[in-house]
Amino acid sequence: MRGWHLAAGGAVLTAALLAAVQPPFQAAFLAPAALTPLLYALAHEARWPRRFLTGWLAGFLYWLIVCHWIKDVLAAYGGLTGPLAVFTLLAFAAAKGLHLAVFSALAGPVLKRPWAIPVVAALWVGIERTHGPLGFAWLTLGNSGVEMGLPVRLAPWIGVYGLSFIFAALGTSLTLVLLRRPRRQLAWLLPLAGLWFLPPLQLKVAPGQQAVVAQPNVAGNAVWSLEEKDRMLRQLMYSTLAEAVEVEKRRPDLLLWPEAPAPLYYYQDETLRRGAAELTRLAGAPFIFGGVAYTPRREPLNSAFLVDRRGQLAGRYDKRFLVPFGEFIPPGFGWIEKISSEAGNYAAGTRAGVFALGDHRVGLFICYESAFPHLVREAAAGGAEVLVNLTNDGYFGRSRAPREQHLQLARMRAIENGRWLLRPANDGTTAAVDPAGRLWDRLPEFARQTGRLRFAWLREQTAYTRWGDWFAWGCLLVGLAGVGAAWMPVYQPARPRGE
């Protein structure tokens, strides 16, 4: 029973610590110790099925805490009743817990070896990198370090995964200390001193450009008639133009609306097309906004449109990574479509979002796509000089946790790529983020507001933008190789008789 008590305690404590380092708690100082309780329990368990269950419990509880808001979103906007929403949340957390279960089953034998620190950390990072391809990406361990001045210096070099590696390595080293391992096994931490030699994040170019941004503050569950939609469009057009042509202010370089808070069909709605064209001609600035497009098979697309200064449609980006349950039904959850007719069934786009604006380029990504470092990196590598994240957090209601989590993801994407990031949101947080991840020109939340966001065009690319996720994928290979080596028996020469 003692073994089960240790396993359960380690799983629960690590789940609590992993959740505590993320918004809304943001106890980032706990990140270096977050994995220690789990690793300590794994070091005392020789059987891999028990390690698997221990890790699964930790993962299940972590996702249940961090993504508890999924239940409310499903109940309010997915057409699922309360008990069904709870069941779906539990099923989601159970599935996501498998990542930590696999990590735990594999990491146990590695903890016995003198090279545990780098291999356990590499295994953690490699499994983190699989979250997106295997269904749902959200907060990585490294995201908790967005405001930690020293570790975050790694982000422009190897992405958020570099911070995850540091925290996992520190958590492993603390575990070895508790296990009273020889001090020489901690020597793997010495290279971390190199962080002091990396350049600190700083603003090299003052923001000399401006974007006019509209925050409509439309309720996520609004029901639209044609008259109400036209009224909203007229109000947004007027307020955007009024801000853009205000006499005492300079003409803007961009006009931005968020991810569509209402069903805006550019191709079908002549009123929207005429209004967008007139707005750009009068404001003298290109206009980027969210709306709905269709594939040739009439499947809906969550899209961003670019109308140039002449009033012509100059580009469209279709969202590539869709929100599970909101925009598509994940495999294994098809029963939701039978229960709710409101569950989305969007098609995914296929191309990176880079819009050409004369001599400049803008990188586009929509809402949940901020959780995918490699997707945003593709836009920056494609020449984007500023990043724009159209989003609609209205589906979160007024809950603080998901809003702050979502914003933290976007801040890390700005740091990784060394770019200004403009974030027009339906009801907040609408803000500009500088290349160091700091917020500028933030508009009040839950208010219909039009304002300006400062930014700068930047062309210099970070190492992460140029080379991508080589570190994360390399960690997966190193971690698996280390696991294989840990499973190999250690040769010990037989002692002569009589000793």
Side-chain angles (χ1 to χ4, degrees):
M1 290 298 293
R2 180 181 178 275
W4 280 115
H5 289 160
L6 180 61
V12 171
L13 189 51
T14 282
L17 289 172
L18 287 174
V21 303
Q22 305 291 3
F25 310 106
Q26 293 185 306
F29 65 94
L30 296 174
L35 295 181
T36 300
L38 175 63
L39 294 175
Y40 184 81
L42 298 177
H44 289 84
E45 181 52 69
R47 287 162 290 188
W48 77 262
R50 287 197 176 191
R51 293 196 303 270
F52 184 92
L53 289 175
T54 300
W56 176 84
L57 177 60
F60 171 76
L61 293 175
Y62 167 73
W63 288 102
L64 200 62
I65 297 169
V66 169
C67 292
H68 67 276
W69 42 266
I70 288 178
K71 170 181 65 67
D72 300 323
V73 172
L74 288 171
Y77 307 114
L80 297 183
T81 58
L84 287 172
V86 171
F87 176 78
T88 304
L89 172 61
L90 294 174
F92 162 80
K96 289 302 299 176
L98 294 174
H99 290 272
L100 197 42
V102 171
F103 166 80
S104 300
L106 298 178
V110 178
L111 290 167
K112 300 177 182 179
R113 298 305 177 98
W115 27 265
I117 290 176
V119 173
V120 169
L123 183 64
W124 175 267
V125 170
I127 290 179
E128 268 193 344
R129 183 59 183 83
T130 68
H131 279 276
L134 294 180
F136 180 80
W138 198 237
L139 296 168
T140 61
L141 179 57
N143 271 110
S144 62
V146 71
E147 293 185 356
M148 299 176 72
L150 192 60
V152 81
R153 295 182 186 186
L154 264 181
W157 295 87
I158 52 180
V160 68
Y161 302 108
L163 281 75
S164 292
F165 185 91
I166 291 175
F167 296 148
L170 292 172
T172 306
S173 65
L174 181 55
T175 303
L176 299 185
V177 170
L178 295 175
L179 294 172
R180 299 184 180 181
R181 295 290 175 79
R183 292 183 180 178
R184 63 178 179 273
Q185 294 186 13
L186 302 179
W188 294 100
L189 296 178
L190 291 177
L192 296 185
L195 289 173
W196 273 273
F197 296 96
L198 293 178
L201 302 183
Q202 55 186 349
L203 194 62
K204 298 179 181 179
V205 178
Q209 282 70 46
Q210 296 182 8
V212 167
V213 58
Q215 181 175 282
N217 192 36
V218 173
N221 58 351
V223 178
W224 296 96
S225 66
L226 182 60
E227 293 76 13
E228 289 168 337
K229 188 179 73 171
D230 287 346
R231 186 183 305 113
M232 183 207 70
L233 276 175
R234 287 195 300 271
Q235 291 172 344
L236 281 181
M237 294 283 185
Y238 175 80
S239 61
T240 303
L241 181 60
E243 177 65 36
V245 300
E246 189 169 338
V247 176
E248 297 180 357
K249 298 179 181 178
R250 53 162 289 181
R251 286 296 177 100
D253 301 272
L254 277 173
L255 309 176
L256 299 175
W257 285 5
E259 180 186 20
L264 303 180
Y265 301 95
Y266 180 83
Y267 296 110
Q268 291 81 18
D269 191 338
E270 187 177 352
T271 301
L272 174 59
R273 290 199 302 274
R274 287 201 310 266
E278 190 72 10
L279 176 61
T280 57
R281 288 195 292 264
L282 293 175
F287 177 30
I288 297 174
F289 60 97
V292 179
Y294 287 94
T295 69
R297 298 172 58 184
R298 297 301 296 168
E299 299 168 306
L301 295 159
N302 187 346
S303 303
F305 297 86
L306 167 65
V307 177
D308 63 20
R309 290 182 175 87
R310 299 170 300 166
Q312 302 296 314
L313 181 65
R316 192 187 87 204
Y317 168 68
D318 303 321
K319 189 175 182 180
R320 296 162 63 192
F321 289 84
L322 304 175
V323 180
F325 305 109
E327 293 172 321
F328 82 102
I329 303 301
F333 290 87
W335 51 270
I336 290 180
E337 290 182 297
K338 296 180 175 63
I339 296 172
S340 172
S341 61
E342 300 175 46
N345 194 21
Y346 282 73
T350 58
R351 291 182 292 182
V354 180
F355 287 164
L357 305 179
D359 295 332
H360 300 290
R361 289 175 176 265
V362 175
L364 264 293
F365 56 106
I366 299 175
C367 196
Y368 165 65
E369 292 185 318
S370 60
F372 296 86
H374 67 284
L375 179 142
V376 180
R377 175 250 164 197
E378 282 183 29
E385 300 162 60
V386 65
L387 300 173
V388 175
N389 178 207
L390 308 186
T391 191
N392 177 13
D393 289 349
Y395 293 102
F396 296 141
R398 291 181 174 261
S399 175
R400 300 300 318 160
R403 292 173 178 275
E404 293 175 11
Q405 292 170 7
H406 203 190
L407 177 62
Q408 187 137 314
L409 291 167
R411 293 173 63 189
M412 185 60 75
R413 303 294 85 85
I415 296 171
E416 289 169 334
N417 296 286
R419 291 288 183 271
W420 281 85
L421 186 149
L422 305 178
R423 190 176 189 268
N426 171 36
D427 58 0
T429 302
T430 295
V433 182
D434 73 12
R438 297 170 296 201
L439 295 181
W440 290 57
D441 305 326
R442 184 171 180 169
L443 298 188
E445 293 185 346
F446 310 117
R448 179 169 292 182
Q449 190 93 10
T450 306
R452 294 189 176 223
L453 305 179
R454 288 170 289 174
F455 71 98
W457 304 109
L458 298 175
R459 293 184 177 178
E460 182 180 357
Q461 293 186 346
T462 66
Y464 178 74
T465 299
R466 290 194 296 271
W467 300 321
D469 287 338
W470 67 268
F471 176 77
W473 289 122
C475 279
L476 183 60
L477 294 176
V478 169
L480 294 177
V483 169
W487 279 94
M488 295 177 63
V490 177
Y491 172 72
Q492 294 180 341
R495 295 181 179 180
R497 292 183 178 180
E499 288 190 6

